[in-house]
Amino acid sequence: MNKIVLITGATSGIGLACARKFAENGDKLILTGRNEQRLAEIKNELKDTQVLTLAFDVRDRAVAKTAIASLPAEWKSIDVLVNNAGLALGLEPEYEGNPDDWETMIDTNIMGLLTMTRLIVPSMVERNSGHIINVGSVAGDAAYAGGNVYCATKAAVKALSDGLRIDVANTAIRVTNLKPGLVETNFSNIRFHGDTARASNVYKGITPLTGDDIADVAVYAANAPAHVQIAEVLILATHQASGSVIVRK
């Protein structure tokens, strides 16, 4: 049965890969992101799929609420929410960090996820059906050097995923926390504020994961039998053992 899948942060990286993989699966897509032009381009790319786009920043609760309320009736019964929007900024020691970077990470990675959960999940509870897929990180398992605040936000994603799973355990709703390791997207370029040379060093000497690798797991979890809940998946590159142990050749 085809599903209605809402993906946040769908304009690049893991979010875009999820859009493509769920489209291949025959699902209908609600794609959100801040870049309206990029969303239009992706909709055109996926022309054989039913796609609705919503341009907003998950950090803006009021605008997010208005956007979700604007959905046509036939799009309101969202089956899968992929809370993907997130980012890392900076790699400084905690005592030298940029408070503006902290605020952006916390508001996007934690508050944005909470906002979308609050807007979408009540309808799932009413229908006794649905699936929330949160994109966490190996960084949520243990801090690594320079990761401080980012790691804290992804630890929060784990706690919020676990807490939501408890909250909906009396329903047929499923909650999945995906925890990728080293994935080659524009993640590092954003982290280093556009310093492409520094970002490219992150992936030297190792074959990293791709957005498609994570999207494959998301689609698998969403299509597992109804009695199977893929609660948490840690996905690492072969030569990565943890957030801080990476063997480069």
Side-chain angles (χ1 to χ4, degrees), residues 14-53:
I14 293 171
L16 176 55
C18 283
R20 289 168 174 158
K21 291 288 184 178
F22 277 106
E24 289 175 10
N25 195 56
D27 297 314
K28 296 169 61 176
L29 304 177
I30 302 172
L31 305 180
T32 85
R34 293 175 295 172
N35 189 328
E36 189 168 5
Q37 180 179 341
R38 184 70 185 117
L39 286 169
E41 291 170 356
I42 295 165
K43 182 176 181 177
N44 185 60
E45 174 195 333
L46 302 176
K47 54 184 178 293
D48 294 329
T49 301
Q50 288 184 267
V51 178
L52 189 152
T53 62

Side-chain angles (χ1 to χ4, degrees), residues 1-5 25-29 79-80 174 222-223:
M1 177 180 170
N2 294 345
K3 301 178 176 67
I4 297 176
V5 182
N25 195 56
D27 297 314
K28 296 169 61 176
L29 304 177
D79 299 294
V80 181
R174 302 182 293 186
N223 288 279

